[in-house]
Amino acid sequence: MADDKIMKEVDGPNNNDENKSSDNNDAASDIATATDSYEDDEYDDDDLSQDSYQDDDRGRPLPMPPLKYARIMGSLPRDKNKHTLSCALSVKVACSTMGRVVIRPSADDKSHHHHHASISDSAGAGGTAGVHIAEYEDDEDADRSLTKVFHVIAMGFQDGTIRLVDASSGGSVLFGSSIEDGGAWFVNPTLANKRPEDPDNEIVALSFDSSTSYLCALNVRGDAAIFGPLEWGRRSQKVAVADATKEGAQRQQQGLFAAFVGGGTSDESKDTNVDNRETANRVLRPPFALNKPPTSTVRFSYADQQEGCHPVCMALDPAYGKRKERAVLVGFNDGRLIFSKLQGGGVTAGVTSFFGGAAAASTVKKSDSVIYQGMGASSVTSGDKFGIEAIAWRGGLVAWADSSGVRLFDIENMSRIAHIDRPTGARSNLYPTISSLRPSILFERSDSLLIGWGDCLMSMVIRDTKSSAVTKDGSTPKEIKKKAVDCTMAWELDCVACSVVPLDEKHVAVLGLVPSAGSSSSSIDVTAESGFGDSQLAGGDNVIELQVINREDGKSVSNDSLPLVEQVYTNSVDNSMKRIRTGNASEFTLLSSYAVSRMDDLAEWEALDDGERAIIEREADAFGVRRTDKSVSKTFSELHQRWDMTNDVCSSGKEILEDSLAFDDKKDDESTSSQSSSCSDNYVFALSEPINPEILSSDLDHSSRSSPPIMTVVYSYDACLVQTRDVDDVVSYARSMGKSALALKYALAHRRDMRRHELDLLVDNYFSALLRLSSHHAEGKALSFSRVKIAAESLPILLGGDSRMWQRWIFMFARIPGGLFLIRQKIPVRDPHLPTYVFEMTLEKMLEETVNHRSQGNTISGENDVNNAASDKMTDLFLETLRSWGPTSYLRKRIQMQRYYSQKSRNNSPAATFIKQAEKDLQRRISQTAFGVLSDANDSASKIEDITTRQAIDASKDSLFDVDNLIEKFSSRLQLNDKSTDRDHLSSNIFVGRNSDITIIFANAELEMMREKFDRALGYYLSIGSSFMTESLPILEETAVLTVNHFQEKLALAEVTGTKYDHVLSLIEMHQLHYILLNRNYSFVDKFIVEPPIVALIMLVGLSKAGSFLMDCLSPPDTKSDADEEMENTNTSNDSNLPLDAIAAQLASRPKLLYWFLFQVFTKRPDMYVKFPTTSVPPLNITNLHRKQFSLFLDYANESEGEVISEPIASTSVIIDADSPFMSFLRATIPHGGVDAITVRERLGSYRGGRVDNPVFARELAFVTEKFGKGTIEEAKEVLNLYLLGAKNLSMAVAFAERDSKHSKDLWKILVEHCTISDPSSDASEKGALFGSLLEAAAHCGADLSSLVSSIPEGMSIQGLRPKLIAAIADYRHKVRIHEYTADALSEDKVSLLRELCHLSRRGERSAEKKVREDAHKKDVHSSKPSLLQMQRMKSSAATMRHPNAFSLSIR
């Protein structure tokens, strides 16, 4: 059958463009589908024809309409003529009604809710062996432990048949019905074989009771039948594919069931076109059906009425199944309203026989009473219909409408309540294009009546009132209860109402006809544009619209035109005969799940089970009210009051439109480096808003939300399903506007309700749009950093545990430069489990980007610092990722190394950051769990490696990648030549290419440590120091020289290297790799300069750390012979010592570093270098080093700072007479003979050039001359001149003159002459200042000041001489006083000690004489040591002998 075009919107009068929704409906009619709608399974962003959302006149998108429509196909008798394109019903629908079917779980369902029990498939398929059952995707039959609610539509046709179909799919729900025709019931079985065209067969009224257990049907002859009780049950929603060879027997058996149920033979199967059988073998079944035929079909008749009178409407008592005395209200065209009471009617009452005959006799007793007589049809003078036109019944209230108006009646008390006049606009003569009108009345609540008639929409509320009647005798007034009616809503519509139903508490749905302009050509144009071929749109010159009216202001919220099709008249040649007659409002009916038959509120509350009551009570608590059961039922039992269209997803269209327009106003920042660029969609919703709160809710919470209404528009030749927009529609609407983020946001918020869209595809669209990976979203714009960052942060939230999605988007991020660096900490390491090749690819890509960035940075001039910093940061991130994905045992080992070094160096700050990050990575490896919204159905829990804390401690092979494979790949990047590539990778020797990148070498070192090849790892680290630290070597050497020269000043020199390689020292010590530092195991291809291991280590970790390490591992020079060394070569790997001479030999190529190292040994390990407690003759190797160091002092001791950056320590005083490093060295080494004093004096003198006033090494030469000279007066004068003229230090000269007592007198004369002899270039004040300094220095040294004062020449002016002398005398007296105080304190301590000893000597012990002797004997025999008392007495006697007065003092 050909596809129908999408419904086109027809604008009505007084409607704004924004209130007009786009055409939503009608699509291809196919017997294989349950409904014919615009739904589409395509997910391409460019193909969103399923929604067909249009723009307004200004090109702006319109809000999403709240309702959607689909033509009901299923088992309805559609026109199946292949020569026509019509999809109209082949039989006219005369009446229809909807019932609510509640299927509660049985005991078996609760205990076996996982067992998908259903009606026998063999019975449904004919019981043939050739039937194959395939499960349908949306089969909700999986869980039978929950209460399910379905809706059934009963349709009465002109041929006298009654069909029961699912309101959503149109599939037949009759027991044993044919899949194609659905079967049928007949009110009067005797009319089953008559002509379908017979007008006496037409069904005029259908009515369910409140439980949908009974169905009452009435035809135009007055024949009535009540089918029931109807037992509903669930049925598996499966697709039955019938074998062609068994089709005949199957159809015959299905027809037999249909005949049994309906009381006659169904002719529907005879009309089935043979050409459609191929498409009829696959039909969607409804999820529920009748379990068996009704056990008792009550039949009675109103055929004894007067001639020309026939029933036109009917209402079954809503409590029909609960009452003993059952009743039916029937309205006739003569204006009568008959109340029929039924009694009796047992199981056999009126039961149709198997072959269609009626039972022998009916035991039903029916008593009729006319409760109202109105104006009959005989007085019709206009086009309006007279008689009883509509009936509504709920509880004890009944309402009916006739030509005079609407009347309310109390059926229990048989009393009239009110009469509502017919509205003025409810007359057909006001509308030329409408032939007749029909009122629509229903009780939306037990106390509220909703009326739609003509262009009037009203709501009436019935309330109880009390009044008092005054008695004649003056007794107590009698209270009279009455019911009053108030009008709460009255609005004029812009259409002629055909039917009205409640939508929610604030809105009403109105199905109406909008009269056209009156031109007949307009109708022809619509027909031509409809694309339905020979079919014609229903309504004539009117437009059928479904309007949503706001109760508060009467304005239309939504207007949708419905192009329902009309029957095709193929027998007529004249095209004008195909035109339908003027629109008849009575032929259009709007059914709703909110407008089904209901009892009063209390009865409805009692009919609920405990679960449904709990839901209502929970809603009452949500509103913050406390009510009784009765009040709760009155307030919250109504379905339309529990659902709010404004809060439902169907109203999200306006919100999406506003968000879309708001984001459209923003423009992306084209700068790729911007971190705050705005986006054209709400991409940050996953980071700033809670996602999917309903996923965490229980099934009870999910079921507490009232379902939206299911509405059906029924026309004589067509039926249309009306539903509110669902999540899939909202998602499609957002995608149609190009807002993938908004689409995903609403999909996640309502994940349970999404059916058509796949969540993983929406996530793909989100990331594709955010990262601009597709051509549709790129549009030539650059990708900004903020977009990539948002995508990286959203990955774990949106991908969750879906390993397939993770693999896809990891590879997609690999296409973005730097993308893997942003998501490295987001990639799951435990849950879900990802294959090893994903991690290997990620690491290889990160390494490649790092190497390329460094190589590109070297070629850019002027930006080396920035590029180097970025390259170093990328290297650190790559290595951190490599370690975190390796074995967990290696992570623990690295943490142990860092802690070992930090504890040893007593500096935790550098290692704290690394340890914190490593512990974080380790914890993530152990406990990382997916928390997102996606889950991989193919990745079961058994595939996820369960790594507990205990297992992870011993795990050494739990690496996320293959270590050996990665080593092989990285080694290929070391740029080795052909000869070196064949080297053994398992040996301890490594080979590095000349132009290899430092990141590759570092990565290989980490990988070698992972597989516990620590010697190779150390070789890689040393190769880094040897090859990649050469630029910092000059600064390192200058720092080493300054460290020695400014040793006394304690300068804090800045380290050239950082803390990245501190763990190398721990690696050497923990794994005894000192031998690698003595025997180099690394080589460079095509490189002739290779630094020794010690130099490489110093360059790698810095002077301070390397110095501490070398001093700790230093050992004396090796004095063994060559033969002994050869014998112990096998044990060198276990030696943790580094010989002093071996280190000095490696540092010989770097004399400045050797100068620093030997001074470190001199100051920190003097026992090994200048102090030899076990021998008087130092080793030859040591004396050679002394001579070497002396030469180094001569070369570098007087070197300037150069360009070394230093940080001097703040100090207010300098020790001017302290030894310099050179002097300390000479003082300690000259006595050992390695450096001869005479040679030192000669070389220092030659270095000074023979000049006395040369300050270079003046103090050192003076020291050597004083300590190791002959002590002559000439040497004394030479030393004094070196201090005065060379060092220019008067204090040192005075101290020397005071020390040299032999020549002190002569030296003081030289000093006085030096300070008093007139200098032609100096004035008197300068001379006086110099002599004043001499006085101060003499006072500090304790010299005789009187002789100096007497030596002051006459006329010399000394500034502040008196204060200086006073200060000197005061200083001397202070020293004397300190000496006296210390002497007195010593005497007091001696006295107190002697008193204590005397007191202890007088102490005795009480004991037996024998025991005392034995104890004394044991002490003499076993102990030769004196007791504590004896020792004290010995000390006391010795003190007495030295100080006789002390003893006498103690006695006194």
Side-chain angles (χ1 to χ4, degrees):
M1 189 172 292
D3 294 343
D4 296 332
K5 293 185 178 180
I6 303 298
M7 297 183 178
K8 297 187 179 296
E9 181 181 6
V10 180
D11 296 337
N14 301 326
N15 287 345
N16 296 329
D17 293 338
E18 295 182 356
N19 291 332
K20 290 291 182 179
S21 61
S22 60
D23 302 328
N24 307 322
N25 304 310
D26 215 337
S29 64
D30 191 345
I31 197 171
T33 59
T35 57
D36 192 5
S37 68
Y38 55 78
E39 293 184 356
D40 188 6
D41 292 333
E42 296 294 334
Y43 291 94
D44 189 4
D45 291 340
D46 298 332
D47 186 9
L48 294 173
S49 59
Q50 58 187 7
D51 300 293
S52 64
Y53 301 109
Q54 299 178 358
D55 299 339
D56 59 6
D57 297 338
R58 300 181 181 179
R60 297 175 302 179
L62 291 173
M64 181 187 69
L67 303 177
K68 62 178 180 179
Y69 308 86
R71 178 167 285 107
I72 299 178
M73 307 300 288
S75 300
L76 296 181
R78 295 281 181 177
D79 189 357
K80 302 175 183 179
N81 189 352
K82 65 179 181 179
H83 299 291
T84 63
L85 299 178
S86 174
C87 58
L89 296 175
S90 58
V91 183
K92 180 180 179 181
V93 179
C95 59
S96 59
T97 187
M98 180 180 290
R100 186 169 182 264
V101 178
V102 180
I103 301 179
R104 297 181 174 88
S106 61
D108 294 338
D109 293 336
K110 293 180 179 179
S111 60
H112 302 87
H113 62 273
H114 291 292
H115 178 66
H116 296 193
S118 61
I119 301 177
S120 175
D121 294 330
S122 60
T128 59
V131 176
H132 171 69
I133 302 298
E135 188 174 357
Y136 185 68
E137 291 181 358
D138 292 335
D139 190 3
E140 297 181 357
D141 202 34
D143 191 356
R144 292 175 173 268
S145 62
L146 301 177
T147 299
K148 296 292 183 179
V149 178
F150 306 99
H151 295 87
V152 59
I153 298 178
M155 305 179 69
F157 292 86
Q158 190 177 21
D159 59 357
T161 58
I162 303 171
R163 298 177 183 272
L164 270 65
V165 297
D166 179 20
S168 299
S169 63
S172 176
V173 296
L174 290 178
F175 172 75
S177 61
S178 170
I179 297 178
E180 295 182 4
D181 57 37
W185 284 345
F186 292 89
V187 175
N188 190 348
T190 59
L191 303 177
N193 295 325
K194 290 189 175 182
R195 295 180 304 169
E197 298 83 6
D198 191 350
D200 294 339
N201 296 341
E202 181 178 350
I203 306 297
V204 295
L206 293 171
S207 179
F208 281 110
D209 68 337
S210 62
S211 63
T212 321
S213 299
Y214 292 90
L215 173 64
C216 182
L218 184 65
N219 63 9
V220 73
R221 294 169 54 92
D223 298 328
I226 301 178
F227 302 93
L230 307 177
E231 296 185 9
W232 303 95
R234 303 188 186 184
R235 182 168 63 177
S236 178
Q237 251 186 314
K238 294 182 178 180
V239 177
V241 183
D243 191 351
T245 59
K246 304 293 183 178
E247 184 177 359
Q250 177 186 356
R251 290 172 58 82
Q252 182 179 0
Q253 187 172 2
Q254 291 170 349
L256 191 62
F257 278 108
F260 172 74
V261 175
T265 303
S266 175
D267 295 333
E268 297 295 333
S269 60
K270 300 178 183 180
D271 298 334
T272 304
N273 197 310
V274 180
D275 296 333
N276 294 328
R277 291 182 181 179
E278 295 181 359
T279 59
N281 62 352
R282 189 175 180 85
V283 179
L284 178 65
R285 292 178 175 178
F288 70 103
L290 286 173
N291 289 336
K292 59 182 180 179
T295 58
S296 176
T297 301
V298 179
R299 303 183 187 276
F300 51 92
S301 178
Y302 293 93
D304 56 349
Q305 304 298 327
Q306 58 185 349
E307 185 177 358
C309 177
H310 61 85
V312 293
C313 56
M314 174 266 299
L316 184 65
D317 185 3
Y320 182 87
K322 296 181 177 295
R323 298 181 187 272
K324 293 183 180 180
E325 188 179 63
R326 302 173 177 181
V328 179
L329 276 174
V330 181
F332 291 85
N333 61 343
D334 59 355
R336 289 180 302 156
L337 181 64
I338 295 181
F339 180 63
S340 299
K341 295 182 179 180
L342 306 178
Q343 296 179 351
V347 176
T348 61
V351 178
T352 305
S353 65
F354 186 83
F355 296 102
S362 176
T363 59
V364 177
K365 296 180 180 180
K366 178 172 69 73
S367 60
D368 299 336
S369 59
V370 179
I371 62 175
Y372 175 74
Q373 176 65 61
M375 185 178 296
S378 59
S379 60
V380 174
T381 57
S382 64
D384 295 330
K385 185 176 181 180
F386 287 86
I388 305 299
E389 302 184 33
I391 303 176
W393 190 350
R394 178 163 185 177
L397 299 178
V398 174
W400 65 87
D402 62 355
S403 58
S404 62
V406 179
R407 297 179 182 272
L408 285 168
F409 189 79
D410 189 347
I411 196 68
E412 294 180 353
N413 299 323
M414 288 295 175
S415 60
R416 193 184 73 169
I417 298 176
H419 173 267
I420 304 168
D421 293 336
R422 180 173 182 165
T424 305
R427 303 183 185 279
S428 59
N429 54 9
L430 299 177
Y431 312 100
T433 59
I434 300 177
S435 59
S436 63
L437 303 178
R438 185 188 67 177
S440 174
I441 57 175
L442 63 94
F443 284 98
E444 58 177 344
R445 298 196 309 269
S446 60
D447 59 348
S448 177
L449 180 67
L450 185 63
I451 303 173
W453 202 348
D455 61 351
C456 183
L457 177 65
M458 297 182 293
S459 178
M460 303 293 173
V461 175
I462 300 95
R463 55 184 177 85
D464 295 331
T465 60
K466 297 180 180 180
S467 61
S468 301
V470 181
T471 57
K472 296 180 180 180
D473 55 358
S475 61
T476 303
K478 183 179 180 181
E479 187 179 55
I480 301 175
K481 296 182 179 180
K482 293 184 178 180
K483 293 183 181 295
V485 178
D486 298 329
C487 180
T488 60
M489 178 185 66
W491 302 110
E492 182 180 356
L493 303 174
D494 60 353
C495 65
V496 176
C498 301
S499 185
V500 295
V501 293
L503 193 59
D504 62 4
E505 197 170 7
K506 298 180 180 179
H507 299 88
V508 177
V510 178
L511 179 67
L513 294 176
V514 178
S516 61
S519 174
S520 60
S521 61
S522 63
S523 178
I524 299 176
D525 294 338
V526 172
T527 303
E529 293 179 359
S530 63
F532 294 112
D534 295 335
S535 62
Q536 196 170 17
L537 297 183
D541 291 337
N542 306 285
V543 178
I544 306 170
E545 283 191 0
L546 182 59
Q547 300 182 0
V548 177
I549 306 299
N550 193 330
R551 295 175 185 258
E552 296 179 356
D553 54 11
K555 294 182 179 180
S556 176
V557 176
S558 172
N559 293 357
D560 295 331
S561 60
L562 307 180
L564 302 178
V565 297
E566 180 61 276
Q567 186 184 30
V568 179
Y569 299 95
T570 57
N571 296 330
S572 177
V573 180
D574 188 3
N575 197 26
S576 62
M577 293 297 296
K578 296 182 181 180
R579 292 183 55 83
I580 63 172
R581 60 186 184 276
T582 306
N584 188 349
S586 61
E587 296 182 352
F588 299 92
T589 304
L590 179 61
L591 306 177
S592 175
S593 59
Y594 290 173
V596 296
S597 179
R598 301 292 295 273
M599 299 180 291
D600 57 11
D601 290 339
L602 183 59
E604 289 288 341
W605 175 259
E606 293 175 351
L608 299 177
D609 59 7
D610 295 338
E612 293 170 331
R613 293 179 184 179
I615 293 173
I616 297 177
E617 290 174 353
R618 185 162 53 251
E619 289 182 352
D621 295 338
F623 281 95
V625 296
R626 299 183 61 183
R627 306 175 185 272
T628 61
D629 290 350
K630 184 175 181 180
S631 62
V632 168
S633 65
K634 288 183 178 180
T635 307
F636 299 105
S637 61
E638 300 298 337
L639 296 177
H640 73 275
Q641 291 180 317
R642 293 163 53 187
W643 182 78
D644 189 359
M645 185 181 71
T646 57
N647 295 330
D648 192 75
V649 70
C650 68
S651 63
S652 303
K654 184 177 181 181
E655 179 181 355
I656 292 179
L657 179 61
E658 293 176 354
D659 292 344
S660 177
L661 295 177
F663 283 108
D664 285 339
D665 293 337
K666 300 179 181 180
K667 296 183 179 179
D668 286 351
D669 188 357
E670 299 300 332
S671 176
T672 57
S673 62
S674 175
Q675 298 187 17
S676 60
S677 61
S678 58
C679 297
S680 59
D681 200 353
N682 189 14
Y683 294 115
V684 297
F685 79 93
L687 307 178
S688 59
E689 300 178 10
I691 293 182
N692 205 13
E694 297 177 2
I695 294 180
L696 303 178
S697 62
S698 61
D699 292 337
L700 187 61
D701 295 335
H702 184 71
S703 61
S704 64
R705 299 178 304 157
S706 179
S707 300
I710 298 177
M711 296 180 287
T712 303
V713 177
V714 180
Y715 173 59
S716 300
Y717 297 100
D718 202 357
C720 177
L721 175 65
V722 182
Q723 290 179 308
T724 58
R725 295 281 178 174
D726 54 14
V727 181
D728 294 290
D729 299 311
V730 175
V731 171
S732 298
Y733 178 71
R735 292 181 62 197
S736 68
M737 305 182 70
K739 306 301 177 183
S740 301
L742 292 176
L744 180 59
K745 173 184 176 182
Y746 283 91
L748 292 177
H750 305 276
R751 182 181 180 182
R752 289 174 179 259
D753 303 324
M754 193 168 59
R755 295 292 182 268
R756 192 169 68 248
H757 291 86
E758 295 292 338
L759 194 57
D760 55 350
L761 295 179
L762 294 177
V763 172
D764 279 340
N765 292 337
Y766 167 82
F767 284 114
S768 298
L770 179 57
L771 299 176
R772 290 175 173 167
L773 297 178
S774 61
S775 58
H776 178 72
H777 297 96
E779 298 178 357
K781 297 181 180 180
L783 180 62
S784 61
F785 174 76
S786 62
R787 283 176 170 263
V788 183
K789 186 177 180 181
I790 293 172
E793 295 292 336
S794 303
L795 275 178
I797 301 175
L798 298 179
L799 300 188
D802 193 337
S803 62
R804 181 185 60 83
M805 293 287 290
W806 271 110
Q807 296 178 45
R808 165 178 168 77
W809 282 105
I810 290 174
F811 279 88
M812 296 299 289
F813 267 86
R815 297 165 53 184
I816 303 173
L820 293 177
F821 287 89
L822 289 177
I823 68 170
R824 61 184 186 87
Q825 291 186 337
K826 312 297 180 182
I827 298 177
V829 295
R830 179 178 175 270
D831 180 20
H833 177 73
L834 299 180
T836 57
Y837 67 83
V838 175
F839 298 98
E840 293 176 2
M841 183 280 302
T842 303
L843 292 173
E844 289 183 46
K845 185 66 176 178
M846 292 175 67
L847 177 62
E848 181 181 357
E849 291 184 4
T850 304
V851 173
N852 293 338
H853 190 274
R854 180 174 282 107
S855 61
Q856 293 175 2
N858 294 333
T859 60
I860 300 176
S861 60
E863 299 181 0
N864 289 334
D865 295 339
V866 177
N867 288 317
N868 291 338
S871 300
D872 293 341
K873 182 63 176 179
M874 294 175 68
T875 300
D876 295 340
L877 295 179
F878 164 73
L879 295 174
E880 180 182 316
T881 307
L882 181 67
R883 289 189 293 266
S884 64
W885 291 351
T888 54
S889 59
Y890 172 67
L891 273 175
R892 288 183 170 84
K893 188 178 294 296
R894 282 300 305 271
I895 295 175
Q896 183 182 6
M897 289 181 181
Q898 293 294 142
R899 286 177 175 171
Y900 176 82
Y901 174 78
S902 61
Q903 292 174 1
K904 190 172 182 179
S905 62
R906 298 179 181 179
N907 186 10
N908 297 328
S909 57
T913 304
F914 178 89
I915 294 175
K916 183 178 180 181
Q917 182 61 39
E919 289 179 344
K920 180 180 178 181
D921 295 335
L922 181 61
Q923 181 66 24
R924 189 167 181 265
R925 288 288 302 277
I926 296 174
S927 60
Q928 181 265 329
T929 305
F931 63 93
V933 297
L934 293 184
S935 59
D936 191 357
N938 298 323
D939 193 2
S940 60
S942 61
K943 292 184 180 180
I944 300 177
E945 185 178 2
D946 186 11
I947 304 177
T948 61
T949 304
R950 188 67 234 172
Q951 290 174 343
I953 292 176
D954 302 329
S956 59
K957 296 183 179 180
D958 58 349
S959 176
L960 300 179
F961 52 84
D962 189 347
V963 178
D964 295 332
N965 186 26
L966 212 57
I967 289 178
E968 182 178 357
K969 292 181 179 180
F970 286 178
S971 298
S972 62
R973 295 174 175 266
L974 292 178
Q975 298 184 5
L976 304 175
N977 55 20
D978 297 337
K979 296 182 180 180
S980 59
T981 53
D982 298 334
R983 303 283 184 178
D984 186 8
H985 293 288
L986 299 179
S987 65
S988 60
N989 297 323
I990 65 167
F991 300 90
V992 180
R994 183 175 183 180
N995 297 321
S996 300
D997 190 83
I998 185 175
T999 308
I1000 303 176
I1001 302 176
F1002 207 146
N1004 279 344
E1006 298 281 355
L1007 292 173
E1008 293 291 353
M1009 291 181 65
M1010 291 180 187
R1011 65 173 187 172
E1012 299 183 354
K1013 296 291 183 179
F1014 303 109
D1015 51 353
R1016 292 178 60 86
L1018 180 58
Y1020 279 117
Y1021 284 126
L1022 294 178
S1023 67
I1024 293 175
S1026 175
S1027 179
F1028 296 96
M1029 302 294 181
T1030 55
E1031 295 180 358
S1032 61
L1033 183 58
I1035 301 178
L1036 192 70
E1037 291 178 334
E1038 296 298 331
T1039 306
V1041 173
L1042 284 178
T1043 303
V1044 178
N1045 295 343
H1046 297 274
F1047 175 75
Q1048 295 294 343
E1049 299 178 13
K1050 301 184 182 300
L1051 290 180
L1053 300 176
E1055 287 284 355
V1056 179
T1057 59
T1059 61
K1060 184 186 299 184
Y1061 303 98
D1062 292 349
H1063 66 283
V1064 177
L1065 301 177
S1066 302
L1067 174 66
I1068 297 173
E1069 293 190 18
M1070 295 176 64
H1071 298 282
Q1072 302 295 318
L1073 299 177
H1074 302 79
Y1075 68 94
I1076 301 294
L1077 299 178
L1078 302 177
N1079 302 313
R1080 179 167 53 87
N1081 70 333
Y1082 58 91
S1083 302
F1084 294 92
V1085 180
D1086 300 332
K1087 189 173 182 179
F1088 56 93
I1089 299 178
V1090 180
E1091 298 291 344
I1094 298 296
V1095 178
L1097 181 64
I1098 296 174
M1099 297 168 64
L1100 195 67
V1101 299
L1103 288 173
S1104 177
K1105 300 167 190 174
S1108 301
F1109 170 77
L1110 293 175
M1111 294 304 105
D1112 293 340
C1113 303
L1114 192 65
S1115 63
D1118 194 359
T1119 58
K1120 297 180 181 179
S1121 62
D1122 296 339
D1124 296 336
E1125 291 180 358
E1126 293 179 359
M1127 293 177 61
E1128 296 184 2
N1129 281 337
T1130 56
N1131 298 327
T1132 56
S1133 62
N1134 297 325
D1135 191 3
S1136 61
N1137 297 324
L1138 298 175
L1140 174 59
D1141 56 345
I1143 299 176
Q1146 290 192 30
L1147 295 178
S1149 61
R1150 299 292 178 182
K1152 293 184 178 181
L1153 295 180
L1154 179 61
Y1155 172 61
W1156 162 82
F1157 168 73
L1158 292 177
F1159 186 76
Q1160 295 294 317
V1161 177
F1162 169 70
T1163 55
K1164 297 181 180 180
R1165 297 298 301 269
D1167 58 324
M1168 197 177 299
Y1169 195 60
V1170 293
K1171 295 180 180 180
F1172 306 99
T1174 60
T1175 179
S1176 59
V1177 180
L1180 180 61
N1181 295 335
I1182 297 297
T1183 56
N1184 292 335
L1185 291 176
H1186 289 174
R1187 286 188 288 272
K1188 180 65 176 177
Q1189 188 175 7
F1190 174 73
S1191 301
L1192 293 174
F1193 267 113
L1194 291 178
D1195 295 337
Y1196 303 115
N1198 203 36
E1199 192 173 278
S1200 60
E1201 294 184 2
E1203 298 179 356
V1204 180
I1205 302 174
S1206 62
E1207 299 174 2
I1209 298 177
S1211 178
T1212 58
S1213 62
V1214 180
I1215 302 177
I1216 59 176
D1217 57 349
D1219 290 346
S1220 65
F1222 196 6
M1223 290 176 59
S1224 301
F1225 170 75
L1226 294 175
R1227 187 190 301 275
T1229 57
I1230 289 178
H1232 295 295
V1235 181
D1236 184 53
I1238 299 175
T1239 305
V1240 171
R1241 291 182 63 181
E1242 292 177 354
R1243 296 190 63 180
L1244 289 178
S1246 62
Y1247 194 89
R1248 288 171 47 83
R1251 293 172 51 193
V1252 180
D1253 58 348
N1254 190 354
V1256 177
F1257 297 136
R1259 293 182 58 192
E1260 287 77 4
L1261 182 57
F1263 165 75
V1264 174
T1265 304
E1266 179 186 358
K1267 295 295 182 182
F1268 303 100
K1270 298 179 181 180
T1272 61
I1273 185 61
E1274 289 77 10
E1275 291 181 348
K1277 292 180 180 180
E1278 181 185 357
V1279 172
L1280 186 63
N1281 289 327
L1282 287 173
Y1283 285 134
L1284 289 176
L1285 302 178
K1288 293 181 175 58
N1289 194 320
L1290 185 60
S1291 298
M1292 290 184 179
V1294 172
F1296 171 69
E1298 191 68 19
R1299 285 197 309 269
D1300 193 354
S1301 59
K1302 183 178 179 180
H1303 308 98
S1304 178
K1305 185 176 180 180
D1306 298 331
L1307 296 177
W1308 275 110
K1309 290 182 181 180
I1310 297 174
L1311 287 173
V1312 172
E1313 291 177 358
H1314 176 75
C1315 295
T1316 57
I1317 294 176
S1318 60
D1319 187 1
S1321 61
S1322 60
D1323 54 6
S1325 61
E1326 292 181 359
K1327 296 177 182 178
L1330 184 60
F1331 201 89
S1333 300
L1334 179 62
L1335 290 175
E1336 291 181 357
H1340 281 291
C1341 295
D1344 187 6
L1345 295 180
S1346 60
S1347 60
L1348 287 177
V1349 172
S1350 62
S1351 301
I1352 299 175
E1354 295 182 3
M1356 179 178 287
S1357 174
I1358 300 175
Q1359 183 94 22
L1361 176 60
R1362 181 181 179 86
K1364 290 181 180 180
L1365 293 176
I1366 294 175
I1369 296 172
D1371 186 24
Y1372 175 76
R1373 292 177 179 176
H1374 182 67
K1375 291 180 180 179
V1376 172
R1377 199 174 292 113
I1378 290 175
H1379 178 71
E1380 293 175 354
Y1381 287 157
T1382 55
D1384 294 342
L1386 178 61
S1387 300
E1388 292 179 359
D1389 291 341
K1390 290 180 180 180
V1391 171
S1392 62
L1393 180 61
L1394 290 174
R1395 286 179 177 176
E1396 185 179 358
L1397 291 175
C1398 291
H1399 178 72
L1400 293 175
S1401 65
R1402 296 174 182 176
R1403 182 178 299 176
E1405 295 181 1
R1406 180 178 296 180
S1407 178
E1409 182 179 357
K1410 183 178 180 180
K1411 185 176 181 182
V1412 170
R1413 293 178 180 177
E1414 291 178 356
D1415 294 341
H1417 179 70
K1418 289 180 180 179
K1419 291 180 180 178
D1420 295 337
V1421 173
H1422 295 90
S1423 177
S1424 59
K1425 297 181 180 180
S1427 63
L1428 177 62
L1429 182 60
Q1430 292 174 351
M1431 294 177 63
Q1432 292 175 349
R1433 288 177 178 178
M1434 292 170 61
K1435 292 180 180 179
S1436 175
S1437 61
T1440 304
M1441 293 175 65
R1442 290 193 300 269
H1443 305 283
N1445 295 331
F1447 180 77
S1448 62
L1449 185 64
S1450 64
I1451 296 300
R1452 186 172 62 248

